[in-house]
Amino acid sequence: MPKGKGPQGKRITLKVAKNSVRVAFNGRRRLDLSKMGIATFPKCILELADVEELDLSRNLLRKIPNIIEKFQNLMWLDLHSNQLDELPAEIGTLKNLTYLNLCNNKLTTKGLPEELTLLKNLRTLNLGLNCLETIPTTLGTLRELIELGLFDNSLTLIPKSVKKLPKLERMNVKRNPLPEFAKEEEPIDTVKRIESLYLVEKKDLCSSCLEMCQGERDELHKLEDVTPGPSNKPSFPSLTTPNSTAMDNQEEWRVK
């Protein structure tokens, strides 16, 4: 491998690409090149630039070239689980995109081009599992956005313009150092609880099961013997002391 070069990855031919075109359930044509070991964007797929969906997820891609602008029919683009640290400005020319998955890459805030805000029809944007420290306030212009994934980044603030997107229904911000979303840990219940209780008669148990049940019953009786029961002394709630257990000499405790 030449010095300074990354992994070469698998070479995709036009024949392989054509054989990877599938018709999705919604009738769109999807070019599925996921899990192919691709390290460089295959230029041969420009011959198939009229597809509506493109899946390049789970590869070794470090860069998306500006020729992505040739895919003007794209409505669905999946680039998750690659090694991308930036996106080209030309991503903003894909005006028909409704779904963009960039999860599990190496994207930084600087690597998000301003042109991302030109995707006015975008409904789902997944930026989870990246290296984002801030979110551009301009993402608040994506007013068709319904679902936004921001989980597993280094975010300390979500811009108000993003939180107030009119159609936003789901925003995943888990595992970010966000003070506004910090919640107290649920107390751990150390009491062992019984989910189900089944009642049977002795005659229906085998000898070993009966012996085990009797042993557990004996242990329970031992606990009952050592557990202090309620006091037999009379209670005098009108006493001035907060201790309601009566003393031998009641005159010392009564209200004078």
Side-chain angles (χ1 to χ4, degrees):
M1 183 183 299
K3 185 177 180 180
K5 296 286 185 179
Q8 296 302 303
K10 182 178 179 179
R11 183 174 178 269
I12 299 298
T13 64
L14 181 57
K15 180 179 179 180
V16 170
K18 286 182 176 179
N19 290 335
S20 299
V21 176
R22 303 284 185 271
V23 178
F25 70 93
N26 52 18
R28 301 175 190 166
R29 290 175 304 141
R30 177 181 297 182
L31 176 53
D32 188 352
L33 296 176
S34 63
K35 298 182 289 185
M36 300 283 281
I38 303 171
T40 304
F41 190 90
K43 293 182 179 180
C44 68
I45 67 174
L46 289 177
E47 298 288 334
L48 304 170
D50 58 344
V51 295
E52 292 85 15
E53 300 187 357
L54 177 58
D55 189 349
L56 288 167
S57 65
R58 290 171 283 186
N59 281 297
L60 304 169
L61 293 171
R62 295 178 178 272
K63 183 179 180 181
I64 299 298
N66 55 15
I67 56 175
I68 192 68
E69 66 183 353
K70 301 295 183 182
F71 292 79
Q72 284 299 305
N73 290 339
L74 277 187
M75 302 177 69
W76 191 94
L77 178 58
D78 195 343
L79 298 171
H80 87 265
S81 302
N82 279 284
Q83 299 178 29
L84 304 173
D85 58 7
E86 64 177 358
L87 295 174
E90 287 74 13
I91 197 82
T93 67
L94 306 180
K95 301 296 180 61
N96 291 316
L97 268 188
T98 60
Y99 175 95
L100 179 57
N101 190 352
L102 298 165
C103 175
N104 194 22
N105 278 283
K106 299 180 180 180
L107 292 170
T108 62
T109 304
K110 186 178 180 181
L112 296 180
E114 186 178 345
E115 288 76 7
L116 199 62
T117 61
L118 298 176
L119 304 177
K120 300 300 184 182
N121 291 310
L122 204 59
R123 297 178 181 177
T124 299
L125 175 60
N126 192 345
L127 292 168
L129 278 167
N130 276 288
C131 306
L132 303 175
E133 294 184 350
T134 58
I135 292 296
T137 57
T138 50
L139 285 187
T141 62
L142 301 178
R143 302 184 68 80
E144 295 298 315
L145 211 57
I146 296 174
E147 186 171 4
L148 177 60
L150 299 173
F151 54 92
D152 292 287
N153 279 287
S154 301
L155 304 174
T156 56
L157 178 68
I158 304 297
K160 289 183 179 179
S161 60
V162 174
K163 290 191 290 186
K164 293 183 178 181
L165 282 167
K167 296 185 179 180
L168 193 63
E169 296 178 0
R170 294 177 296 276
M171 182 170 65
N172 189 344
V173 296
K174 292 180 179 178
R175 294 176 295 279
N176 277 286
L178 288 164
E180 59 183 307
F181 289 97
K183 294 182 178 179
E184 295 183 4
E185 294 186 2
E186 293 289 334
I188 299 175
D189 189 352
T190 57
V191 178
K192 186 177 181 181
R193 305 186 185 278
I194 299 175
E195 296 293 335
S196 302
L197 179 64
Y198 301 93
L199 301 178
V200 296
E201 296 185 12
K202 287 184 179 181
K203 63 182 180 62
D204 296 323
L205 293 174
C206 63
S207 57
S208 59
C209 291
L210 181 60
E211 184 179 349
M212 180 181 68
C213 291
Q214 289 175 336
E216 291 182 353
R217 183 186 60 185
D218 293 341
E219 289 294 325
L220 182 61
H221 287 166
K222 290 180 182 178
L223 288 174
E224 291 175 348
D225 291 340
V226 298
T227 302
S231 174
N232 292 325
K233 293 184 178 181
S235 175
F236 295 86
S238 62
L239 299 183
T240 57
T241 175
N243 183 359
S244 62
T245 303
M247 296 291 291
D248 293 333
N249 186 359
Q250 296 302 322
E251 294 300 332
E252 296 178 7
W253 292 90
R254 294 188 183 278
V255 179
K256 296 182 180 179

